[in-house]
Amino acid sequence: MEKLPKKLRQKLSERLMNDAMRSLPLVDGLVDFSSNDYLGLTRNEKLSKAASDFLKIKPQKNGATGSRLLTGNHALYHELEMFLKEHHRSESALVFNSGYDANVGFFSSVPQRGDLILYDELVHASIRDGIQMGNAKSYKFAHNNLEDLNKKLMSFRAESRSDSEIYVVTESIFSMDGDSPDLKALANLCSENDCYLIVDEAHATGILGEGRDFICQLGLEEQVFARIITFGKTLGCHGAAILGSEALKNYLVNFARSLIYTTALPPHTIANLLVSYRFLKDFGKEQCKQLQWNIDFFKQQTEELGIADLFIGSNSAIQCAIIPGNANVKSMAAQLQLEGFDVRPILSPTVKEGEERLRFCLHAFNTKEEISRILLLLKNLWNERV
Ligand SMILES: Cc1ncc(COP(=O)(O)O)c(C=O)c1O
């Protein structure tokens, strides 16, 4: 028996030929311009002490012991979901093991045969995977383009049966571009056309809306059918939740297979989340302010250095410089890493060919000097290359 079947070996050779081979890198000790730890909570000593104190006062089992529908639904889940619905101003919250699980669970179970899903062409892979697992028809619309969405809405409405539902899906901050749709206009369009709007808030969770999310910041809670918030990024933990009505929660508990057929999160993870959210509520304001300052400074520096045109327009902590070609972007990332900065290349096919990029994730803890230095290095590398 071969170690790997021939067809799979061929697929891997193609990846290699296209300079697109993925691996599991171990990068350590560099200045972080890459992780999703936007506010630096994973490195906060006060927070790790608070988490271990919490567990000393309320000792927990080491594992969940079963699915949430069986023995895995420990009391901390209830406490967390109560907190989340209050904090994120939602009727209910349902915790999943990850954002990937939440999206797959939602999109594979909620839209039904005969329904339509219209999704932004750049939505996360977990949304696409969930859609593929379900029975509804789906079409993409051009990125952040409400005109295109409206056109597709109109043509489906004209042809569809009266009981067909339309679900519209977007992200509040796009993971690979860092930009955002006009959420107010989108919510209005969906309300006017009786569509269900779903917003993935992975990259806004815990930052926008005073430690809540983008929809809260804009006061659009009532116009959104479901929000997906995730805990692996700003919260520095793991897991995710779907925010929506009690009725939606009840439906998902009954039909979302990625919730039902998996072992629940361990109590330690939920305890960590409770402590992190409390910390964010008490001390997060300063970090959010510093992050915003760093974003503004980063953008101002790109202007001053004359390299702003390399970047995709974004007001978030995700700032991407387009460096076409897998080999080029990999080489530039490697050179920045040699200079002590952890910046990762985003290759095709993760993004479209020709749109390969360096993805700079900014953090509250990045210093002014680090930002100035990395952008100067980028400018020099770009000029040497052209
Ligand atoms: C927009 C978006 N949604 C969902 C996910 C998945 O979340 P998780 O890492 O918790 O599985 C990610 C993570 O990369 C993301 O960027």
Side-chain angles (χ1 to χ4, degrees), residues 182-251:
D182 181 342
L183 284 167
K184 270 192 187 161
L186 180 60
N188 287 339
L189 183 66
C190 289
S191 301
E192 283 158 17
N193 289 282
D194 218 6
C195 304
Y196 292 96
L197 175 61
I198 300 106
V199 183
D200 182 329
E201 295 256 28
H203 293 274
T205 310
I207 302 181
L208 297 180
E210 301 192 337
R212 295 179 175 87
D213 55 69
F214 210 163
I215 291 300
C216 271
Q217 176 165 307
L218 299 172
L220 298 173
E221 300 89 327
E222 295 298 320
Q223 284 177 271
V224 176
F225 178 57
R227 276 173 276 164
I228 289 85
I229 54 170
T230 71
F231 310 136
K233 303 184 193 302
T234 300
L235 267 299
C237 297
H238 194 84
I242 296 182
L243 308 174
S245 65
E246 270 300 335
L248 175 65
K249 177 172 177 173
N250 188 26
Y251 178 84

Side-chain angles (χ1 to χ4, degrees), residues 131-174:
I131 291 173
Q132 274 197 359
M133 290 162 79
N135 295 314
K137 262 199 214 152
S138 62
Y139 296 102
K140 59 187 177 191
F141 59 91
H143 180 51
N144 286 340
N145 187 330
L146 296 195
E147 231 172 87
D148 189 40
L149 170 62
N150 195 23
K151 230 174 24 196
K152 285 177 176 147
L153 264 175
M154 294 305 137
S155 76
F156 181 76
R157 270 283 183 250
E159 290 165 16
S160 66
R161 296 192 324 236
S162 60
D163 64 345
S164 299
E165 309 288 5
I166 302 182
Y167 295 88
V168 173
V169 195
T170 192
E171 294 177 19
S172 56
I173 294 177
F174 276 85

Side-chain angles (χ1 to χ4, degrees), residues 41-112:
L41 296 198
T42 66
R43 48 176 78 199
N44 190 302
E45 285 172 14
K46 274 194 205 145
L47 185 52
S48 36
K49 184 172 177 315
S52 66
D53 288 350
F54 181 101
L55 290 169
K56 267 188 213 139
I57 298 162
K58 285 190 185 178
Q60 302 293 323
K61 284 185 188 163
N62 289 327
T65 78
S67 157
R68 286 200 67 187
L69 276 76
L70 297 169
T71 56
N73 198 40
H74 37 90
L76 292 183
Y77 263 115
H78 181 68
E79 198 175 329
L80 178 63
E81 287 177 347
M82 287 299 172
F83 175 89
L84 291 175
K85 72 177 195 171
E86 185 89 16
H87 184 70
H88 288 276
R89 299 177 182 152
S90 167
E91 195 179 304
S92 83
L94 179 64
V95 172
F96 283 72
N97 285 5
S98 69
Y100 189 91
D101 283 2
N103 277 330
V104 163
F106 182 95
F107 289 101
S108 62
S109 70
V110 173
Q112 300 293 299

